[in-house]
Amino acid sequence: MIFEEYARLDRGAAAGAGAGLGLAIADRICRALGHALKVRSRVGQGSVFSITLTRTASEPGAAARARAPALAGGLKVLCVDDDPAVLESMAALMRRWGMEVTAAASAAQAYALDGAWDVVLADYHLGGGVSGLDLLRELGGRAARARW
């Protein structure tokens, strides 16, 4: 159940706003890459998530590049996240897949950009009272091709 879209436990919902998509996205990415995502939990003590990877002799990143969708090459993406480490890693990954990436560290920074993107990838919690959904609503009309 926790790997389904919009699934939130009562305690998690009370801890803060969120859409309940994080684990569903992680699970789909792992399945797409052929990795196992597992969870171990103890009531009152917490949970441990693990990903099992298969060792390979090929060059680093070759498996991920081979599995990247053919559509990814040349795709124009706006990536917005207020966590610098997440923003940098997502942008680097998408660039390796052949995407043309514009990165923004805040909603205000994204609003100031002039571009027509195929895809806008935004974190839900952007800070400053703006959510990723707010950003998508505002930028939606500026997409090169509307994909909802």
Side-chain angles (χ1 to χ4, degrees), residues 8 10 19-20 30 44 49 56 59 61 81 83 109 114-115 130 139 143 145:
R8 303 225 30 218
D10 292 338
C30 285
F49 293 85
T56 181
E59 67 177 275
D81 200 305
D83 182 326
Q109 202 175 68
D114 185 30
V130 179
L139 295 179
R145 294 182 296 273

Side-chain angles (χ1 to χ4, degrees), residues 51-62:
I51 300 172
T52 304
L53 308 174
T54 304
R55 185 182 298 245
T56 181
S58 65
E59 67 177 275

